[in-house]
Amino acid sequence: MPGASGAFCFEREADLFMLDETLMLSSGDDDIARAGEILKNGGLVAIPTETVYGLAANALDGTAVRAIFEAKGRPQDNPLIVHISSLDQIDGLVSRFPETARALADAFWPGPMTLVLPKSAIIPDEVTCGLDTVGIRFPKSECARRIIDAAGVPLAAPSANTSGKPSPTCAAHVFDDMFGRIDAIVDGGECSVGVESTVVYAADDGDPILLRPGGISAEMIAGVCGSCKIDENITSDMEATGAVMSPGMKHKHYSPNAKITLIESDFDAYKDYVEKNMAPGTAALCFDGEGQRLCGIPYFEYGAVDDPKSQCRKVFSMLRRLDKAGVDAVYARCPRRDGEHLAVYNRLIRAAAFRKIKL
Ligand code: TXA
Ligand code: MG
């Protein structure tokens, strides 16, 4: 019957894109070895790191790297970070390792920092999207490093979320976004930092430039190098347009379905504003212990008011949670911008599509 065979063909096409299943792996030795095999053979594996979960493939295999872009629905002009498991692996991947970059590596690697460096010819264009620099990261997570060792190759890995959604900080988040689209997920528990790595441009002999704030702050970088420039797209409350140093800055990011508005004020003014503007489907996103002081308003809390580390750990899972709860609109307490607070501010102002009210 022509109709039936047409339908069958359609299903077959869908099958080619949707894998039958995604293997759920533990961080035990056998499972890590299995993850390594899959990666060696050109597959995609979501891996835990101390920042967020990454969606990894062999960084030296352009075809495997292209599959990352497909699985995430990632814009083709947003380059990937290459992960290594020991410092000596960097030699083949970069054409130069400037002094400033070396000093930063000494101070902060292994850890939540990506260095943008001049790339060597071995890095495929699929990784860098045609740029002449490459982001290199040496993660602190032991599980991530064991997987890189098992694969025997450097791993290209963006965050393991559907493009535009909040980054995943536990295996369940990856499962929600990627099940059926990738070969395996290694469950290594919750990420200890919770926001993506600090990205630093250190490809020449000039001052380092902060391209994306993370667990390592501009102040910490300046402490090592004497100074640290901050890319204007981090602090401007405008969506980046035109040429940007870090292509990721211009894309829609971290956006939950709910419409978020940041409220910059002290708690009393925030409470007053939220209580006056409350409507069905609206919720508050506030700091720990504040929710119960709001009168009968549904709330989500994202860490302690003066503790940026706890805010980093919670912010993405709260953004995912408020979507699961079906919230339409959110009034969020605005984080500070100094030190590690800037990482949280940067994620939330983008999640809010730059909507901010100052009271
Ligand atoms: O913590 C992290 O960095 C996580 C984990 C998995 O390591 N990875 C991650 O990757 O957040 P991704 O792809 O979501 O973010 C990488 C950021 C993007 O904003 C991208 O534009 C920027 O780094 N980037 C990568 N290569 C670059 C380059 N050569 N020059 C400038 N920016 C670059
Ligand atoms: Mg990302």
Side-chain angles (χ1 to χ4, degrees):
M1 214 165 80
S5 87
F8 179 64
C9 281
F10 180 76
E11 274 174 29
R12 284 288 298 276
E13 273 172 26
D15 281 347
L16 291 178
F17 186 65
M18 293 291 283
L19 300 169
D20 279 348
E21 62 177 85
T22 295
L23 274 177
M24 297 302 294
L25 300 174
S26 74
S27 55
D29 287 344
D30 290 351
D31 280 9
I32 297 282
R34 189 141 187 208
E37 281 305 312
I38 295 170
L39 289 161
K40 250 185 225 164
N41 291 319
L44 299 186
V45 180
I47 65 167
T49 83
E50 73 275 24
T51 56
V52 299
Y53 275 68
L55 178 52
N58 177 355
L60 307 181
D61 175 347
T63 308
V65 170
R66 267 202 300 279
I68 294 179
F69 284 81
E70 275 166 37
K72 276 183 64 95
R74 183 175 176 99
Q76 300 286 335
D77 63 348
N78 195 6
L80 307 181
I81 294 171
V82 174
H83 297 70
I84 55 176
S85 55
S86 74
L87 198 53
D88 52 12
Q89 292 163 7
I90 204 171
D91 290 338
L93 304 176
V94 302
S95 61
R96 228 185 123 222
F97 195 10
E99 267 318 303
T100 311
R102 267 178 215 277
L104 289 170
D106 280 350
F108 301 118
W109 273 354
M113 178 187 68
T114 296
L115 291 175
V116 174
L117 299 167
K119 85 177 195 82
S120 77
I122 203 178
I123 307 273
D125 276 346
E126 283 86 351
V127 170
T128 59
C129 302
L131 296 177
D132 54 8
T133 53
V134 60
I136 305 276
R137 181 153 118 74
F138 177 8
K140 190 165 196 139
S141 157
E142 199 208 321
C143 186
R145 290 189 313 202
R146 283 166 62 219
I147 296 168
I148 300 167
D149 286 343
V153 286
L155 297 180
S159 49
N161 50 289
T162 303
S163 212
K165 290 286 161 201
S167 294
T169 55
C170 64
H173 297 164
V174 182
F175 183 93
D176 285 346
D177 283 15
M178 290 294 155
F179 188 81
R181 303 178 76 86
I182 61 175
D183 297 293
I185 300 171
V186 177
D187 187 348
E190 280 194 30
C191 301
S192 58
V193 177
V195 295
E196 308 89 337
S197 60
T198 302
V199 179
V200 186
Y201 181 87
D204 55 32
D205 298 315
D207 288 338
I209 307 171
L210 183 72
L211 301 182
R212 178 176 71 182
I216 291 165
S217 66
E219 290 84 342
M220 289 159 78
I221 293 167
V224 172
C225 301
S227 69
C228 174
K229 290 187 189 155
I230 298 183
D231 186 87
E232 59 180 18
N233 288 307
I234 290 175
T235 42
S236 88
D237 283 351
M238 303 283 288
E239 214 157 341
T241 49
V244 287
M245 280 193 79
S246 185
M249 298 296 277
K250 73 177 180 206
H251 293 293
K252 194 171 170 222
H253 248 126
Y254 320 118
S255 47
N257 302 324
K259 179 179 164 190
I260 299 185
T261 305
L262 296 192
I263 310 292
E264 191 168 56
S265 69
D266 60 23
F267 177 73
D268 289 338
Y270 171 80
K271 173 175 156 65
D272 200 42
Y273 183 89
V274 171
E275 287 174 359
K276 278 200 186 106
N277 287 278
M278 201 46 210
T282 305
L285 180 62
C286 52
F287 296 120
D288 292 355
E290 293 179 347
Q292 60 186 10
R293 294 164 64 194
L294 302 168
C295 294
I297 293 168
Y299 63 84
F300 299 80
E301 292 177 335
Y302 76 96
V305 65
D306 286 320
D307 178 6
K309 286 191 170 57
S310 74
Q311 294 170 23
C312 286
R313 271 196 302 275
K314 285 176 82 173
V315 66
F316 283 140
S317 65
M318 285 306 144
L319 292 180
R320 281 180 178 259
R321 240 192 241 180
L322 53 92
D323 269 352
K324 284 217 157 157
V327 171
D328 301 321
V330 177
Y331 295 117
R333 284 269 270 144
C334 188
R336 282 164 39 187
R337 297 187 189 204
D338 56 308
E340 291 154 84
H341 290 279
L342 185 61
V344 186
Y345 179 81
N346 174 266
R347 299 334 185 256
L348 274 181
I349 192 74
R350 280 167 174 72
F354 301 92
R355 267 184 303 273
K356 185 167 76 169
I357 295 172
K358 205 168 177 168
L359 298 177

